[in-house]
Amino acid sequence: MQRLWWHDAVIYHVYPRSFLDTDGDGVGDLPGVRRRLPYLARLGVDALWLSPFFASPMADFGYDVRDHTAVDPLFGDLDDFDELLDAAHGHGLRVLIDYVPNHTSDQHRWFQDSRADPHGPRRDWYVWRDPAPGGAPPNNWITLFGDSAWTWDDATRQYYLHSFLPSMPDLDWRNPAVQDAMFDVARFWLDRGVDGFRVDCAPLIAKDPALRDNPPSAAGSSAHHRSMGGFDDQIHLHDQGHPDLHPRYRDVRALLDSYGKPGDRVALGEVHEYDWPAWSRYFGRDLDELHLPINFGLLGVTWQPQAIGGTIRAILDAVPAGATVTWVMGSHDDPRVASRVGPSQAANAMLLLLTLPGTAILYNGDELGMPDAAVPPDRIRDPWGLRTPALSRDHARSPMPWSSHSDSPSAGFTPTGVEPWLPITIPPGGTVQAQEADRTSPLSFTRDLLALRRTTAALRRGTIAFLDAPDGVLAYTRSDGSEADLLITLNLTDLPVPIDRLLSQRPPRERLLSTARTADAGRGADPTVLAPGEGVVWSAETRGQTDRQDG
């Protein structure tokens, strides 16, 4: 099978609001992303994915789109986007952008037309229904925020459907006119030269046409990786994932494949499905739907070897032959990985992410070991967090800390004297400036790991095999068919662990790269002991090999 650029890519997820502010309004912008492209090129990633920057009232920070083909003035304009795209391509970086197919803002001209005239041509672009007997909503569906998914419109005497905020009405993808309009949106950006899309909330575009009630979930049960409040009170059987969506994603794939050679343009899919065979159906029966349905299995896995290994095996077992798995350890919607697994295990999480087979998504700031930010109640901006502070996503969205200059309280994110839209947090390893100068920093480790991945065939396209290992250690090999396979060992405990038995099962091995970045990493005199929290990539080749753990 022909190898395409995305089969083993590392995609860097940029949350533009929090990357770099160049115009002094406290919010990151597209010129800020362009200014930091050299940083991404030095890091060694293959592509960047931009969260929404489209014209929006910002009720949900850009996912409530008012105009799909305009840049919100908060982030710049179309010229700024074009300059960013050209500059990224000049650095050898592909650019993916968000594609939000399920809903729009209620300020979008489509919805305003739909709402204004019950008999107008755009009325059925959205999901309008009469009330149930007695005036109740048409069914029991609830939003991600735990409220009814239906809002009453006094003027037209019907309810409209929204999977998120009432100001974010759902489009009706069974309407061919909606499909045509949304494909025109995709063409607009493809014609400008984007390399693909990340499809937001991919399962939501097709609901049960009969609008059947969702069944209640068992008390305390949840298929999600963390509690989602009232949303977990139902099994979301009928408000998403109806089989009607598969022809639509075949159409999306055909559209992408019509630009350049098939496979040049790619679609990531946000698929929060934890039944792995059901998740795998988004690839399509003939791998003709989404190129890269994202799996979120590692975001909430218990941080111990059996749970991690079992999750990875289950996902790989579900993947169709010839398909590529996409892994993620952090996102703008979830607690930071350094806070989930603890600062002593953050480097192991990065090592795991970048040594698994397939494509990896690296969320901005995770390369620095950034923890969740401390956001006081009066600084919460996330609409979910305003309703349920414990579920706020702001903690994972704090701005990037670039500079260590004492005259920049915002760590170089905003011009001097400007307050960032969210509080700044400085990771234990320091700002980007500090970590670039420190060979023992998380940033230096991530760069070394990306360089090793880029130059090692076994990591780019090799198979994976899990090994029996001492308690607390996750061990696996990556092999491209030669005798020189790689061994990866992750000590997930806070104690030293001898792994001489593992090392003796294969030809003599040397350390290619270690998360312990100093020579006295706590191993003592025995190199076959993993230090507390240490992860190591071992090579089978010994002749002429040098220990590259410090770069």
Side-chain angles (χ1 to χ4, degrees):
M1 181 179 176
Q2 180 188 5
R3 299 291 298 179
L4 298 168
W5 70 266
W6 44 268
H7 280 144
D8 53 16
V10 177
I11 300 169
Y12 189 88
H13 175 193
V14 174
Y15 192 65
R17 293 183 68 91
S18 296
F19 207 58
L20 182 67
D21 169 27
T22 62
D23 60 6
D25 61 2
V27 176
D29 44 50
L30 295 181
V33 179
R34 177 166 53 87
R35 187 177 297 179
R36 295 304 186 194
L37 289 174
Y39 168 79
L40 299 185
R42 291 195 305 274
L43 186 60
V45 298
D46 302 289
L48 61 147
W49 147 38
L50 295 166
S51 284
F53 51 84
F54 315 113
S56 166
M58 299 295 164
D60 194 20
F61 299 118
Y63 285 95
D64 50 322
V65 179
R66 182 174 59 224
D67 185 342
H68 292 90
T69 58
V71 174
D72 195 274
L74 191 67
F75 300 115
D77 55 29
L78 278 173
D79 287 341
D80 291 318
F81 177 80
D82 291 339
E83 291 172 6
L84 165 59
L85 185 63
D86 289 344
H89 288 163
H91 282 284
L93 296 166
R94 311 269 185 160
V95 177
L96 312 180
I97 67 172
D98 250 277
Y99 182 67
V100 186
N102 177 69
H103 51 267
T104 68
S105 167
D106 61 357
Q107 296 184 24
H108 200 293
R109 67 185 185 279
W110 298 347
F111 186 73
Q112 292 184 340
D113 290 348
S114 180
R115 195 175 208 170
D117 184 357
H119 307 291
R122 283 184 172 154
R123 180 64 171 187
D124 58 357
W125 282 37
Y126 295 83
V127 183
W128 294 92
R129 291 295 185 273
D130 291 331
N139 63 22
N140 73 343
W141 295 355
I142 57 177
T143 72
L144 194 71
F145 305 108
D147 304 322
S148 173
W150 297 92
T151 288
W152 177 251
D153 181 57
D154 248 349
T156 59
R157 312 301 293 173
Q158 280 190 315
Y159 284 95
Y160 66 86
L161 179 67
H162 50 91
S163 297
F164 298 94
L165 297 171
S167 59
M168 299 163 67
D170 283 13
L171 290 161
D172 187 351
W173 267 77
R174 289 193 175 82
N175 186 334
V178 170
Q179 297 172 29
D180 291 344
M182 286 304 299
F183 287 147
D184 283 345
V185 168
R187 291 186 188 95
F188 176 87
W189 295 105
L190 290 166
D191 288 342
R192 298 192 93 82
V194 301
D195 299 287
F197 301 105
R198 176 268 197 181
V199 181
D200 180 64
C201 297
L204 289 181
I205 67 167
K207 289 92 169 171
D208 174 29
L211 301 182
R212 287 172 288 181
D213 282 357
N214 282 330
S217 61
S221 69
S222 172
H224 301 90
H225 57 275
R226 66 182 177 125
S227 172
M228 299 175 72
F231 187 75
D232 288 336
D233 292 342
Q234 294 182 355
I235 299 172
H236 292 273
L237 184 63
H238 298 304
D239 57 355
Q240 60 182 295
H242 190 274
D244 285 356
L245 59 76
H246 295 291
R248 301 292 74 78
Y249 286 129
R250 285 195 289 274
D251 293 341
V252 169
R253 179 64 167 263
L255 174 61
L256 289 167
D257 283 349
S258 70
Y259 280 79
K261 296 178 181 178
D264 281 352
R265 312 293 177 97
V266 67
L268 298 173
E270 183 187 20
V271 181
H272 284 285
E273 172 61 72
Y274 300 90
D275 175 334
W276 302 120
W279 161 79
S280 73
R281 287 197 281 271
Y282 287 82
F283 288 103
R285 290 181 179 177
D286 299 312
L287 302 187
D288 55 356
E289 295 183 32
L290 298 176
H291 304 78
L292 298 172
I294 304 169
N295 86 79
F296 294 91
L298 294 179
L299 265 69
V301 69
T302 302
W303 200 246
Q304 53 93 3
Q306 292 74 23
I308 296 170
T311 297
I312 294 170
R313 287 188 189 95
I315 292 167
L316 293 174
D317 286 347
V319 175
T324 297
V325 188
T326 302
W327 307 96
V328 61
M329 285 293 298
S331 89
H332 65 302
D333 286 333
D334 295 275
R336 286 273 186 185
V337 62
S339 292
R340 292 200 317 272
V341 305
S344 65
Q345 288 291 330
N348 268 341
M350 184 66 72
L351 183 57
L352 177 66
L353 174 69
L354 297 180
T355 57
L356 291 174
T359 300
I361 298 176
L362 173 55
Y363 177 47
N364 64 215
D366 281 352
E367 74 276 18
L368 306 176
M370 279 183 68
D372 285 339
V375 181
D378 63 338
R379 293 292 303 275
I380 290 177
R381 303 286 300 277
D382 177 24
W384 199 357
L386 290 171
R387 293 165 177 243
T388 310
L391 296 179
S392 176
R393 298 168 292 183
D394 289 334
H395 308 287
R397 297 176 176 182
S398 61
M400 285 283 287
W402 294 102
S403 169
S404 298
H405 295 156
S406 59
D407 60 352
S408 178
S410 67
F413 168 71
T414 63
T416 300
V418 176
E419 183 177 48
W421 77 286
L422 282 176
I424 294 283
T425 187
I426 307 297
T431 65
V432 170
Q433 183 183 48
Q435 293 201 27
E436 284 188 319
D438 181 1
R439 291 295 304 132
T440 70
S441 70
L443 176 58
S444 293
F445 172 72
T446 303
R447 282 182 176 166
D448 289 349
L449 181 55
L450 284 166
L452 181 64
R453 176 186 172 108
R454 190 168 54 251
T455 57
T456 307
L459 289 179
R460 294 199 316 274
R461 55 179 175 266
T463 58
I464 187 170
F466 289 89
L467 306 176
D468 290 332
D471 289 346
V473 173
L474 178 68
Y476 51 95
T477 59
R478 296 293 311 280
S479 175
D480 64 344
S482 72
E483 292 183 359
D485 61 352
L486 297 181
L487 170 66
I488 295 93
T489 56
L490 306 177
N491 181 1
L492 306 185
T493 78
D494 57 2
L495 298 171
V497 179
I499 58 166
D500 50 311
R501 179 174 57 84
L502 260 180
L503 297 176
S504 68
Q505 293 175 1
R506 297 289 192 279
R509 294 191 181 269
E510 295 186 0
R511 294 167 181 265
L512 281 177
L513 190 66
S514 170
T515 62
R517 308 289 285 168
T518 58
D520 62 348
R523 292 183 295 270
D526 190 345
T528 68
V529 174
L530 293 178
E534 183 183 18
V536 179
V537 181
W538 304 83
S539 173
E541 298 178 346
T542 58
R543 292 182 181 179
Q545 193 70 258
T546 58
D547 186 344
R548 301 196 330 222
Q549 68 171 342
D550 294 316

